[in-house]
């Protein structure tokens, strides 16, 4: 691996991913000083004119912010998580998996309308992204719009009949709606 990474860097000294992987390899081999020097060099060379990082580094940093946000989410610190997800998306706005996590944090923070905006942005970018479609249905349900939620999840089940999560959520919402309708009928 060391030789392959070194050869890749000889061919293209600006190949950030190869430099970072070689730094990890050096670290694993106990060549800590070499690893540190290479890592710092990779970060320095990955900076483009105007102080912008290259695409690979920006993606790595975006995923690191998302990892931090996940820790905040697990601790129930939704506003902090939302801030970190937004930082990640400022670097990589097309990362739909991070935008989906932002939408989930917004919904869990009691901000379903903000969550719906994020989900609609995902679906505009990738209408077939199944996790976003499922969460769109759940978020619609959380706003009290059971009919729209059932339409969304019903379409997911029609498109993907083997998706057990979508079926489960659809059945749950149908059951809730039937119970709510029965409760209204008994109260009249």
């Amino acid at each position: 691996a060391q030789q392959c990474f070194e050869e890749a860097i000889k061919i293209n000294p600006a190949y950030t991913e190869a430099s970072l992987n070689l730094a990890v390899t050096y670290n694993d081999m106990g060549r800590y000083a070499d690893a540190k020097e290479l890592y710092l060099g990779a970060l320095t060379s990955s900076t483009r004119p105007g102080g912008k990082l290259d695409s690979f580094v920006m993606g790595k940093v975006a995923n690191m912010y998302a990892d931090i946000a996940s820790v905040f989410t697990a601790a129930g610190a939704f506003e902090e998580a939302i801030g970190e997800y937004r930082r990640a998306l400022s670097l990589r706005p097309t990362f739909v998996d991070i935008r989906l996590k932002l939408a989930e944090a917004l919904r869990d923070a009691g901000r379903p309308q903000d969550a719906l905006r994020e989900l609609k942005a995902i679906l505009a970018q990738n209408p077939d992204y199944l996790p976003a479609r499922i969460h769109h249905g759940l978020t619609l349900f959380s706003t009290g719009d059971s009919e729209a939620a059932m339409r969304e999840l019903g379409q997911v089940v029609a498109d993907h009949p083997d998706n057990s999560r979508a079926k489960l959520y659809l059945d749950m919402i149908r059951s809730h709606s039937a119970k709510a309708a029965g409760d209204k009928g008994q109260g009249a």
Side-chain angles (χ1 to χ4, degrees), residues 133-138 140-141 145-161 163-179:
R133 291 180 63 197
I134 291 170
H135 280 281
H136 187 238
L138 291 174
L140 287 167
F141 178 67
D145 194 346
S146 297
E147 291 298 318
M150 286 189 287
R151 279 193 307 274
E152 179 71 28
L153 291 168
Q155 188 59 53
V156 170
V157 170
D159 294 344
H160 304 276
N163 190 299
S164 59
R165 287 184 68 208
K167 285 180 184 178
L168 173 73
Y169 295 140
L170 180 59
D171 289 345
M172 176 191 72
I173 293 169
R174 283 181 178 152
S175 174
H176 179 272
S177 295
K179 183 180 179 320

Side-chain angles (χ1 to χ4, degrees), residues 94-117:
T94 60
F95 281 16
V96 293
D97 59 327
I98 294 175
R99 191 167 302 279
L100 179 62
K101 290 176 184 178
L102 170 61
E104 291 176 48
L106 286 163
R107 185 184 63 225
D108 292 345
R111 296 166 53 186
Q113 295 304 323
D114 292 335
L116 285 172
R117 276 191 290 283

Side-chain angles (χ1 to χ4, degrees), residues 43-44 46-54 58:
L43 290 181
T44 303
S46 67
T47 303
R48 298 176 187 260
K52 294 215 176 218
L53 296 174
D54 79 4
M58 285 178 38

